[in-house]
Amino acid sequence: MTKRNDSNRTDSPSVFGRASEFVRSRRSFMTDAATVGGGALALSALGGTAAARSGSEDGDGGDVSDVDVLNYALALEHLEAAFYNDFLANHSESDVEGSVVARYFARPTLRYSVYQQIEDVRDHEEAHVDALTETIEDLGGTPVEAAEYEFPYETIEEFVALADRLEAVGVSAYAGAAPLLSNPDLIPPALSIHSVEANHATYFRLLDLQRPAPNAFNPARTMDEVLGIANQFVVGADGGGGRMFSVSVENVSRPSTLDTDRAMGAVPLSPPVWAVFTGDNPAFTPGEAANAGTEIVAEDGFPDELAGTLANAENVTESGVAPSPGGSLETPALGPGESVEFAFSAVPGEHLTFETMFVQSNDWFYTFDGLSLFDGDQPIAGDVTSAVELYDAGTEADTAPGTGPDQKPVQDPEAMDVGPTEDEPVQLAAERHPDFDIPDASEVIRVTVTPQ
């Protein structure tokens, strides 16, 4: 068991750089530390010895040194720096400036600085590597070395989507690291680097056409979760099992899907609110009353209340709102033929839920009660629409789809909570209203999961 000693301390944190990374609890670190990828993610390699482990329940029985944490951070910084160097070595400035990604920006000063922004991010990651290496050496430790990596992208758009995911992992991992550092002088520089990583994440989310700051609070990741995600990029890595996923939600309804003149019989969908979670579904429970966020999504299609609920749930590792093709408040719906995508990282044992309003209703929403993202250790892939179900939130009295004066298509777009109140639990729409003509989910929505 490794104990702290004076060599784990420093009175000069200025060289620290990215000293706090990737672990939520001492127990998680000590239980799960392992060597991965031929020494690249040498999570337990410190001077050739294993990292500290503890048999205590709270982890206080055996301390992990600051060097252990810094070496883990360094291994992941090596990966990030390699990712950006790989891209810059294979793409020129003109390649990037002429890409669809750069053309998202109408202002020339933004469009023609994308390449330089990516260079800046690379430089930041390399600076973190240098600072961590120096700090570890100052503390008497042996810095881990970089390994061989493979990154699954072919186009610039795919690179941006992957950068979005990697930076999101880094930000959430930072939030879990501070409790491991015993030297309080290391906390301020750790937080300063955390804010830089958050800047990276915001920039790449914009390039990936995602909402740049969807949540008021971001979750922390445990070492177990980060290790599982990082392993997929390390050549020769064993175990972990984590993957990055993208999900497409497409409106496949058409005129005459419903026997109504409203919206020509098509069924608009609201911007999907989604979450990756463990345990019980944090969005809703069939047979129980809908929470305020689900009520607002089901009645009016507005996502923010539910997004905040999911972001604050303890069992949620990632959450967000998919961007709407309509964009503005007046046209938030996903219309026939339109689709949106969102992305996240997950490990075996995690599930996906989402909610999107069946707009031609009083209070109905499509959802997964909880879609398992892995079959054993293998990520799921393909069309998962068969798992989508249509629920009645039970918060507003119903009329048949596409009828009545209180459904969203005949309301002011900004109106909320219009219509007679109902006090019923969440229930499958077809079970509550067997007399209604309700289209199959596959006639309205298609959901596709793609592991990356």
Side-chain angles (χ1 to χ4, degrees):
M1 182 178 296
T2 301
K3 295 289 185 180
R4 292 190 183 277
N5 54 49
D6 291 342
S7 68
N8 298 125
R9 312 282 180 173
T10 178
D11 295 324
S12 179
S14 61
V15 297
F16 162 37
R18 188 174 184 172
S20 177
E21 188 81 62
F22 307 115
V23 188
R24 173 172 287 182
S25 69
R26 293 182 185 271
R27 183 183 181 197
S28 174
F29 182 90
M30 291 182 283
T31 300
D32 299 313
T35 300
V36 178
L41 293 183
L43 308 181
S44 64
L46 179 60
T49 62
R53 294 177 180 269
S54 170
S56 67
E57 287 300 307
D58 60 8
D60 291 335
D63 288 335
V64 176
S65 73
D66 288 345
V67 169
D68 294 332
V69 180
L70 299 183
N71 250 329
Y72 183 53
L74 176 58
L76 288 149
E77 289 293 350
H78 279 311
L79 187 154
E80 291 181 331
F83 171 65
Y84 293 110
N85 274 317
D86 177 82
F87 176 81
L88 293 168
N90 291 285
H91 295 82
S92 67
E93 185 172 356
S94 61
D95 291 338
V96 174
E97 290 177 352
S99 70
V100 172
V101 168
R103 291 201 298 271
Y104 294 155
F105 292 121
R107 180 173 294 183
T109 54
L110 295 176
R111 174 178 175 179
Y112 295 113
S113 66
V114 174
Y115 188 84
Q116 287 74 25
Q117 292 286 355
I118 296 171
E119 286 184 315
D120 286 347
V121 173
R122 184 272 315 275
D123 292 346
H124 296 165
E125 308 299 0
E126 290 187 338
H128 299 161
V129 167
D130 291 343
L132 280 165
T133 298
E134 184 177 351
T135 302
I136 291 167
E137 290 174 344
D138 286 348
L139 297 178
T142 302
V144 297
E145 297 181 356
E148 182 181 355
Y149 309 100
E150 290 182 346
F151 300 107
Y153 69 88
E154 295 182 0
T155 67
I156 294 177
E157 294 92 328
E158 290 172 344
F159 161 78
V160 165
L162 186 54
D164 175 6
R165 301 312 318 134
L166 284 175
E167 294 296 343
V169 169
V171 172
S172 65
Y174 253 115
L180 287 183
L181 293 172
S182 67
N183 183 351
D185 290 339
L186 296 178
I187 302 299
L191 294 177
S192 72
I193 300 301
H194 178 258
S195 65
V196 172
E197 293 297 327
N199 292 340
H200 297 171
T202 298
Y203 184 72
F204 283 110
R205 285 188 67 82
L206 284 170
L207 287 184
D208 197 28
L209 297 184
Q210 303 293 311
R211 295 176 62 173
N215 302 323
F217 303 94
N218 286 325
R221 272 192 172 87
T222 66
M223 178 181 177
D224 218 7
E225 294 161 348
V226 174
L227 174 60
I229 295 164
N231 277 350
Q232 65 186 295
F233 307 112
V234 180
V235 176
D238 295 323
R243 293 295 292 269
M244 294 185 177
F245 293 85
S246 64
V247 174
S248 169
V249 178
E250 180 182 2
N251 187 329
V252 296
S253 71
R254 57 184 181 175
S256 76
T257 292
L258 298 177
D259 185 15
T260 178
D261 291 334
R262 288 181 187 169
M264 300 175 63
V267 182
L269 302 171
S270 66
V273 188
W274 58 271
V276 177
F277 68 96
T278 57
D280 295 333
N281 190 335
F284 74 101
T285 301
E288 297 184 5
N291 61 37
T294 291
E295 178 179 359
I296 293 170
V297 168
E299 291 188 13
D300 299 299
F302 298 133
D304 290 346
E305 178 77 20
L306 182 59
T309 297
L310 296 176
N312 290 322
E314 291 184 357
N315 64 330
V316 169
T317 55
E318 284 199 60
S319 63
V321 180
S324 169
S328 69
L329 181 62
E330 288 72 26
T331 57
L334 184 66
E338 293 182 317
S339 64
V340 292
E341 291 189 1
F342 56 91
F344 54 84
S345 305
V347 296
E350 292 186 324
H351 297 75
L352 173 67
T353 189
F354 80 102
E355 291 186 12
T356 179
M357 182 187 182
F358 183 105
V359 172
Q360 294 261 41
S361 74
N362 297 84
D363 61 342
W364 294 0
F365 62 100
Y366 284 115
T367 185
F368 295 132
D369 190 8
L371 178 71
S372 178
L373 290 164
F374 290 82
D375 182 4
D377 292 333
Q378 297 301 310
I380 65 169
D383 189 330
V384 294
T385 308
S386 61
V388 175
E389 296 182 295
L390 180 62
Y391 278 91
D392 179 349
T395 57
E396 183 176 313
D398 295 305
T399 52
T403 68
D406 298 313
Q407 294 182 358
K408 198 64 182 178
V410 293
Q411 296 176 358
D412 185 298
E414 298 185 38
M416 294 182 63
D417 198 22
V418 176
T421 299
E422 186 177 51
D423 187 16
E424 297 289 343
V426 175
Q427 184 178 356
L428 290 170
E431 291 182 357
R432 177 160 289 158
H433 298 289
D435 54 325
F436 287 176
D437 186 10
I438 302 174
D440 290 340
S442 61
E443 297 179 59
V444 177
I445 189 171
R446 179 184 296 127
V447 182
T448 306
V449 175
T450 305
Q452 299 176 330

